[in-house]
Amino acid sequence: MSSTSEKTNKNGLKSWLSTSNLVLLSVMWGVLALLFFLLFSVTVPGEGRPFWYGIGTLLSEQVAFAFAGVLCLRNGLSNKIASGRNVWLGLGLGMISFFIGNLFFSWWELYWELDPAVSPGDLFYVTSYLCLTVGMLLAVRSRRLNLELWQWGVILAIAVAGMAFAGWLSYPFDFTLDFDSASAAAETTEVIETARPAPGWVISLERQLEPLGPPLNLLYVILDVLLLIIAAVLLLAFWGGRFSQSWRMIAAAAFSQYIADMWFKYADKNIPNYESGDLLEVFFTFTGVFFAIGALLEFDVSTRAVSRGSRRRRGSSS
């Protein structure tokens, strides 16, 4: 009796954690995040966003990135994944790195109430971009590209449009390491230190990292455009194949990342005293949601293909 009940419980848990249910859960999380941003992102002129709203936006992103990271790493540790374990290890490490970067950024912005040009979270953001780029490049390499001329034209158009838009946002270009400006930044930081509850070591670290802001912003733009181009290549390379659905989701995740990053860059540059959490930043949450769905679909297709192959082998041997 006990073994029967245990088996029933396992089957019930397995059905609850099925691919379709987890995909539905991911979609629901994205919809809830969108509703949250739509309802509470608009602020009264002259008033900042409340603390609870910042926590809400942080949770919407962190849950999505953590879920996506776990699912991508599950694919990376599985021998059944057809597109390659290293591909998904790169994507999973990228999601986890972004998750950690968000923690540092939110610590600086929400807890210390600072608006730094650079925070320790940027180290993990850059790591995230590099891991995602490597993972997606490995996916492209594993696929024999046999694109038609019009497909290369689409990729070229996306690349030109992406670079032009990013260049317009970044103009004028300033990527010099101006450490001489640290003294001027220190005077500004002194005012911040007396008005905000940040300890001395945080203020000192902010002063040291501030000159890295311009070149780091340029690096983000380059990596954003690179991810956008790779996503377009993946979208066309896997179009119509057995794994097309999962890689459409990965491409949608890269497009979402580009939209969110470009908006954040525009707002930070053109809106005085901008506080993160505007409506278009919901695309950060969509990025995690799309990566999670892509990982789920890839795992489902790969495991079903392996099970079908094993059944064929057993049938032929009998």
Side-chain angles (χ1 to χ4, degrees):
M1 290 291 292
S2 60
S3 60
T4 305
S5 62
E6 289 177 3
K7 187 175 181 180
T8 303
N9 291 333
K10 288 182 180 179
N11 291 334
L13 180 62
K14 189 175 180 180
S15 63
W16 275 105
L17 297 178
S18 64
T19 298
S20 58
N21 285 343
L22 292 178
V23 169
L24 180 61
L25 182 65
S26 301
V27 173
M28 289 175 59
W29 188 256
V31 172
L32 288 175
L34 178 60
L35 290 175
F36 182 79
F37 276 82
L38 284 172
L39 291 173
F40 304 113
S41 62
V42 179
T43 58
V44 178
E47 295 185 10
R49 292 188 171 93
F51 180 77
W52 60 264
Y53 177 76
I55 296 297
T57 59
L58 174 64
L59 286 176
S60 73
E61 295 177 14
Q62 294 298 79
V63 170
F65 279 107
F67 189 49
V70 170
L71 292 175
C72 290
L73 289 178
R74 180 187 68 167
N75 288 2
L77 297 175
S78 174
N79 294 322
K80 301 176 182 179
I81 299 300
S83 57
R85 296 172 59 184
N86 291 334
V87 171
W88 291 97
L89 283 175
L91 299 181
L93 291 175
M95 293 291 98
I96 298 301
S97 297
F98 204 95
F99 176 89
I100 299 173
N102 262 357
L103 290 180
F104 278 102
F105 178 80
S106 300
W107 186 20
W108 248 241
E109 185 183 52
L110 296 177
Y111 186 76
W112 300 126
E113 298 181 0
L114 296 174
D115 185 21
V118 184
S119 74
D122 286 283
L123 172 64
F124 295 95
Y125 286 143
V126 172
T127 303
S128 173
Y129 273 104
L130 294 177
C131 290
L132 292 176
T133 301
V134 170
M136 294 173 74
L137 282 175
L138 289 174
V140 172
R141 195 183 70 170
S142 67
R143 185 80 171 180
R144 293 182 179 180
L145 292 181
N146 188 21
L147 303 181
E148 299 181 9
L149 184 61
W150 71 268
Q151 292 175 314
W152 286 113
V154 170
I155 294 172
L156 180 61
I158 292 174
V160 170
M163 287 187 290
F165 185 63
W168 173 70
L169 287 180
S170 305
Y171 185 83
F173 301 100
D174 180 15
F175 50 91
T176 57
L177 292 174
D178 187 11
F179 289 100
D180 293 335
S181 64
S183 58
E187 299 178 0
T188 305
T189 311
E190 291 295 339
V191 177
I192 296 174
E193 187 174 7
T194 59
R196 296 170 178 177
W201 68 269
V202 173
I203 301 298
S204 176
L205 183 60
E206 184 181 356
R207 293 175 186 170
Q208 295 175 13
L209 294 177
E210 187 170 8
L212 299 175
L216 195 59
N217 285 334
L218 181 64
L219 178 61
Y220 282 140
V221 169
I222 294 173
L223 292 174
D224 269 322
V225 173
L226 183 59
L227 279 179
L228 186 69
I229 296 171
I230 299 173
V233 174
L234 282 173
L235 189 63
L236 294 174
F238 285 91
W239 192 269
R242 188 174 57 180
F243 299 93
S244 60
Q245 288 186 336
S246 59
W247 287 102
R248 287 176 194 172
M249 295 297 103
I250 300 302
F255 288 130
S256 297
Q257 181 82 7
Y258 179 84
I259 293 171
D261 275 343
M262 290 300 103
W263 163 253
F264 188 83
K265 185 172 184 60
Y266 171 82
D268 190 53
K269 186 177 180 180
N270 296 282
I271 300 177
N273 301 319
Y274 175 71
E275 295 181 52
S276 62
D278 209 87
L279 176 59
L280 286 180
E281 290 188 36
V282 73
F283 279 94
F284 283 124
T285 302
F286 290 168
T287 300
V289 168
F290 282 128
F291 268 114
I293 295 175
L296 286 167
L297 294 176
E298 178 82 7
F299 187 82
D300 183 61
V301 173
S302 297
T303 51
R304 283 194 284 112
V306 171
S307 62
R308 282 198 299 267
S310 61
R311 283 198 298 268
R312 289 196 199 99
R313 287 193 295 271
R314 286 197 298 269
S316 61
S317 61
S318 61

